[in-house]
């Protein structure tokens, strides 16, 4: 791509959005290069990038071009193509959703759009419920406010496969962003029926499916637990509080400053419940209210973070791994107790998720399926079970990045389901005088102490992208030891491994049941490093983890 020529073309043609026009005029040479050195990457996660002007940015033009490519793909593969569209609270999410709807309508693709902002799982659900050809969610999940994105779902409600993404990309790359995209007016589409608002009964059906996930099976528990909840200025407020209240959890305090949708996320730079800073305000509320449980969902409400009181009365954050292990054990034990375990029960987790999950599953006679990072691969496994008539065999899926799903009604992680099931599990144990930290300690005593940590390293711009590629190449150069631990085996998923799709992921199996996984993020300019340590106790594990991480940084930084 001739960067200067493309920039000048945008100057002359990008006139619809005044924000884009003004930004283009004010750009420096360095800004021009970063905004135009490539097209925003389209993959199984769709699009994700910084909001702004240029081919490497999220804007009305790149969204329209992606929508035209998807429309062309749908018309080739479906006789009567249709699409569900949802959007979150981010900057321009509603604008991008309407632009996409206008493009689809102009191409004869029937549009079903949520009338207000909604969580990610409702797009997966509505795609399946309405029987549409595809689904689109405008979101950048838990990224900082400068980002937005465009997730694409298949007719099965699962994020698109690698093959489908490649076919859609071929269609997108055929297009000129200014001359080949068909557009139509959103309001005109609503008037003539080419664009339809999704009925409230679909939202109610979604909530009802979440409520069915309970594994109490008639057992009575104390639901009057004091809950503090934060939707982190995102989409979770209505569906999470509605589900909890309808199931008897009414003692809920919502964090006021994070209650209403706001794409600027004024209280935290990263609206991600994985990060302590995002949970700080909620923890302050929990202390004031003397709450039993703190819950927070990310802006598109597909992740849940929690904090509970420890023995000293302080609030302690639990990791996604810890919550996933607790939920897995709770679901398995309840199903067995009540005779509700399917004949061939299956749990699905990602390869970077704590291996103790597999030990717990084995204890209960549950088969574990390990998949690549990304909940789309968990959804894919549910789909395979469904094709075999065994969807009911799926009992739980989780990933270390705070994503959980207890049923097959959607094919993506669900923060509404996660929040509800965490509340139920908390209440169940609290009724017996057991805290979640007590239960976690019990699991460690049974299966051994395990520590999993995640470290992210940012590499911005074109230079950063190249640096990440060179780091991954260097890591394939026969490393013998990391943090004093001998490398027993290197698993390279790039050529495809264990019947999994090809992926730029490296897993170093170290002695003493430790491991380190390195992969470029699929959605951000970051390298992600996952360290897993097994040890006698927490203190020893933390020392080993620190040695492994510090040593690994010599190749990564």
């Amino acid at each position: 791509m001739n960067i200067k020529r493309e920039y000048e073309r945008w100057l002359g043609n990008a006139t619809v959005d005044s924000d884009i026009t003004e930004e283009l005029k004010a750009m420096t040479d360095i800004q021009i290069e970063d905004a135009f050195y490539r097209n925003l990457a389209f993959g199984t996660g769709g699009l994700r990038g910084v909001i702004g002007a240029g081919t490497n940015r999220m804007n009305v033009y790149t969204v329209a071009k992606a929508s035209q490519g998807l429309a062309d793909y749908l018309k080739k593969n479906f006789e009567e193509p249709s699409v569900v569209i949802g959007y979150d609270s981010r900057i321009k999410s509603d604008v991008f959703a309407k632009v996409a709807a206008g493009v689809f309508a102009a191409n004869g693709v029937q549009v079903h759009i949520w009338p207000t902002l909604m969580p990610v799982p409702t797009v997966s659900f509505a795609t399946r419920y309405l029987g549409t050809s595809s689904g689109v969610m405008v979101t950048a999940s838990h990224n900082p406010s400068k980002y937005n994105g465009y997730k694409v779902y298949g007719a099965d409600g699962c994020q698109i496969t690698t093959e489908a993404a490649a076919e859609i990309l071929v269609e997108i790359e055929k297009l000129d962003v200014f001359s080949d995209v068909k557009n139509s007016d959103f309001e005109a589409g609503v008037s003539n029926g080419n664009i339809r608002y999704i009925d409230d009964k679909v939202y109610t059906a979604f909530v009802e499916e979440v409520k069915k996930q309970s594994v109490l099976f008639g057992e009575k528990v104390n639901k009057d637990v004091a809950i503090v909840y934060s939707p982190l200025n995102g989409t979770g407020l209505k569906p999470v509080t509605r589900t909890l209240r309808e199931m008897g959890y009414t003692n809920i305090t919502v964090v006021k400053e994070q209650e209403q949708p706001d794409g600027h996320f004024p209280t935290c730079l990263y609206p991600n419940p994985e990060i302590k800073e995002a949970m700080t305000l909620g923890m302050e509320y929990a202390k004031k209210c003397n709450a039993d449980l703190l819950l927070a969902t990310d802006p598109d409400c597909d992740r849940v973070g929690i904090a509970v009181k420890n023995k000293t009365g302080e609030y302690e954050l639990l990791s996604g791994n810890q919550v996933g292990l607790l939920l897995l054990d709770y679901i398995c034990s309840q199903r067995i107790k009540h005779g509700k375990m399917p004949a061939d029960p299956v749990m699905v987790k990602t390869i970077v998720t704590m291996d103790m999950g597999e030990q717990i599953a084995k204890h209960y006679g549950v088969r574990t399926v390990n998949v690549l990072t990304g909940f789309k691969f968990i959804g894919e496994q549910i789909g395979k079970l469904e094709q075999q008539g065994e969807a009911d065999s799926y009992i739980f899926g989780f990933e270390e990045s705070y994503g959980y799903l207890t049923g097959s009604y959607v094919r993506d992680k669900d923060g509404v389901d996660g929040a509800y099931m965490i509340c139920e599990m908390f209440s169940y144990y609290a009724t017996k005088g057991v805290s979640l930290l007590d239960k976690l300690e019990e699991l460690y005593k049974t299966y051994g102490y395990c520590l999993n940590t995640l470290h992210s390293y940012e590499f911005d711009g074109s230079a950063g992208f190249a640096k990440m590629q060179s780091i991954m190449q260097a890591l394939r150069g026969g490393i013998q030891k990391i943090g004093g631990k001998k490398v027993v085996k290197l698993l390279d998923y790039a050529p495809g491994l264990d019947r999994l799709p090809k992926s730029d992921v490296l897993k170093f199996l170290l002695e003493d049941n430790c491991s380190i996984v390195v992969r470029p993020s699929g959605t951000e300019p970051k390298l992600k490093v996952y360290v897993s340590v097994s040890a006698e106790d927490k203190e020893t594990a933390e020392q080993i983890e620190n040695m492994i991480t510090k040593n690994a940084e010599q190749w990564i930084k």
Side-chain angles (χ1 to χ4, degrees):
M1 185 186 292
N2 186 309
I3 292 173
K4 191 68 176 172
R5 190 185 304 150
E6 189 65 10
Y7 165 69
E8 287 169 356
R9 212 165 72 87
W10 275 62
L11 266 178
N13 290 282
T15 56
V16 174
D17 186 333
S18 59
D19 290 346
I20 299 296
T21 308
E22 293 306 311
E23 187 182 342
L24 285 166
K25 288 176 182 175
M27 278 182 168
T28 65
D29 287 345
I30 292 171
Q31 289 170 330
I32 290 169
E33 182 186 349
D34 194 47
F36 287 94
Y37 82 92
R38 65 170 186 169
N39 288 320
L40 196 61
F42 183 93
T44 55
L47 300 172
R48 191 174 298 187
V50 174
I51 302 162
T55 58
N56 189 34
R57 296 286 184 265
M58 281 293 294
N59 53 62
V60 293
Y61 303 101
T62 52
V63 166
K65 183 181 176 182
S67 300
Q68 181 65 54
L70 177 55
D72 290 341
Y73 166 81
L74 293 176
K75 287 190 291 182
K76 286 182 177 180
N77 288 277
F78 297 89
E79 283 186 22
E80 296 181 3
S82 55
V83 64
V84 163
I85 299 177
Y87 58 94
D88 68 4
S89 63
R90 287 183 170 272
I91 297 165
K92 294 188 181 286
S93 280
D94 56 341
V95 174
F96 294 159
K98 288 181 178 179
V99 165
V103 172
F104 289 126
N107 283 276
V109 177
Q110 179 64 54
V111 177
H112 303 269
I113 187 168
W114 283 108
T116 187
L117 75 177
M118 292 289 271
V120 154
T122 63
V123 170
S124 174
F125 181 80
T127 299
R128 294 173 58 77
Y129 187 92
L130 297 172
T132 63
S133 318
S134 184
V136 168
M137 178 72 186
V138 180
T139 179
S141 190
H142 55 286
N143 287 166
S145 61
K146 67 180 181 178
Y147 285 87
N148 213 325
Y150 182 102
K151 285 176 77 170
V152 182
Y153 292 84
D156 58 356
C158 189
Q159 284 185 62
I160 50 171
T161 62
T162 308
E163 293 75 23
E167 288 180 41
I168 295 165
L169 179 60
V170 167
E171 298 298 333
I172 293 171
E173 289 184 334
K174 290 177 186 175
L175 304 169
D176 180 88
V177 70
F178 296 116
S179 60
D180 293 335
V181 178
K182 297 177 185 175
N183 290 286
S184 65
D185 180 70
F186 179 82
E187 296 304 333
V190 173
S191 297
N192 63 31
N194 291 336
I195 299 171
R196 296 174 189 161
Y197 286 116
I198 297 171
D199 195 276
D200 196 55
K201 71 177 184 182
V202 183
Y203 172 41
T204 296
F206 167 76
V207 172
E208 289 302 315
E209 285 295 335
V210 174
K211 287 158 63 177
K212 287 178 188 173
Q213 300 310 306
S214 171
V215 290
L216 287 173
F217 303 116
E219 279 189 76
K220 301 298 180 188
V221 297
N222 174 25
K223 294 182 178 180
D224 191 33
V225 292
I227 299 164
V228 167
Y229 169 60
S230 172
L232 293 177
N233 299 116
T235 61
L237 178 66
K238 290 181 180 178
V240 170
T241 55
R242 173 178 170 177
T243 302
L244 292 179
R245 288 193 171 111
E246 287 184 10
M247 293 306 287
Y249 301 90
T250 56
N251 189 359
I252 305 168
T253 301
V254 179
V255 177
K256 194 72 182 168
E257 297 88 337
Q258 298 171 337
E259 182 174 14
Q260 295 305 319
D262 185 344
H264 293 93
F265 310 118
T267 62
C268 54
L269 183 62
Y270 291 89
N272 181 357
E274 297 177 70
I275 297 170
K276 187 177 182 180
E277 288 73 18
M279 303 291 282
T280 300
L281 194 54
M283 289 174 84
E284 288 174 12
Y285 264 72
K287 287 172 189 172
K288 285 180 199 169
C289 303
N290 193 28
D292 299 306
L293 174 65
L294 165 65
L295 294 168
T297 50
D298 67 340
D300 59 349
C301 196
D302 62 357
R303 298 166 197 255
V304 194
I306 76 167
V308 294
K309 274 190 214 169
N310 60 24
K311 286 182 168 63
T312 64
E314 293 298 309
Y315 288 89
E316 195 170 314
L317 293 167
L318 271 63
S319 72
N321 272 311
Q322 290 171 325
V323 173
L325 297 176
L326 286 165
L327 282 170
L328 174 63
D329 183 76
Y330 170 67
I331 290 165
C332 288
S333 61
Q334 284 294 100
R335 281 182 171 274
I336 282 182
K337 186 205 295 187
H338 292 278
K340 301 289 186 179
M341 189 67 91
D344 180 24
V346 175
M347 181 273 286
V348 190
K349 73 173 191 66
T350 60
I351 58 172
V352 298
T353 299
M354 198 181 276
D355 293 331
M356 191 194 293
E358 202 157 345
Q359 293 175 263
I360 293 171
K362 187 177 180 182
H363 172 78
Y364 288 105
V366 175
R367 178 163 57 94
T368 298
V369 177
N370 284 292
V371 296
L372 292 174
T373 311
F375 218 90
K376 57 181 167 279
F377 296 113
I378 295 177
E380 196 173 64
Q381 291 300 318
I382 303 172
K384 287 180 179 178
L385 288 170
E386 186 177 54
Q387 288 166 9
Q388 296 161 13
E390 298 172 5
D392 289 344
S393 291
Y394 172 83
I395 62 164
F396 189 53
F398 78 112
E399 58 183 2
E400 49 70 44
S401 55
Y402 295 56
Y404 320 104
L405 180 64
T406 63
S408 60
Y409 61 99
V410 293
R411 299 296 152 85
D412 208 343
K413 51 186 176 284
D414 182 0
V416 185
D417 170 48
Y420 167 50
M421 290 303 292
I422 288 164
C423 286
E424 177 177 296
M425 173 176 68
F426 182 93
S427 297
Y428 174 83
Y429 289 126
T431 304
K432 298 178 179 301
V434 176
S435 76
L436 291 187
L437 293 174
D438 291 336
K439 188 64 190 176
L440 196 58
E441 201 58 40
E442 182 187 309
L443 292 178
Y444 289 146
K445 283 177 182 173
T446 305
Y447 302 102
Y449 190 83
C450 193
L451 174 66
N452 277 51
T453 59
L454 167 63
H455 305 271
S456 295
Y457 304 88
E458 285 203 37
F459 297 88
D460 289 317
S462 55
F465 181 73
K467 179 82 185 292
M468 280 197 287
Q469 290 182 313
S470 68
I471 288 170
M472 291 302 293
Q473 201 55 43
L475 288 170
R476 292 180 165 93
I479 295 167
Q480 300 298 311
K481 276 191 173 184
I482 302 177
K485 298 281 185 187
K486 183 183 173 186
V487 176
V488 178
K489 192 175 185 181
L490 171 60
L491 302 176
D492 188 347
Y493 291 86
L497 198 63
D498 297 335
R499 291 180 295 177
L500 296 174
K502 296 176 182 178
S503 186
D504 192 11
V505 179
L506 296 172
K507 185 169 187 175
F508 295 86
L509 301 179
L510 310 178
E511 62 184 334
D512 301 324
N513 201 24
C514 298
S515 68
I516 180 168
V517 178
V518 186
R519 71 176 184 95
S521 169
T523 56
E524 302 169 89
K526 290 180 178 179
L527 266 185
K528 294 196 168 186
V529 178
Y530 306 80
V531 180
S532 179
V533 175
S534 295
E536 292 176 10
D537 52 47
K538 184 179 180 182
E539 188 179 350
T540 307
E542 287 175 345
Q543 289 173 355
I544 296 170
E545 191 278 339
N546 186 56
M547 288 172 63
I548 292 172
T549 303
K550 293 296 180 198
N551 189 205
E553 284 178 350
Q554 69 174 293
W555 291 288
I556 292 162
K557 282 190 169 178

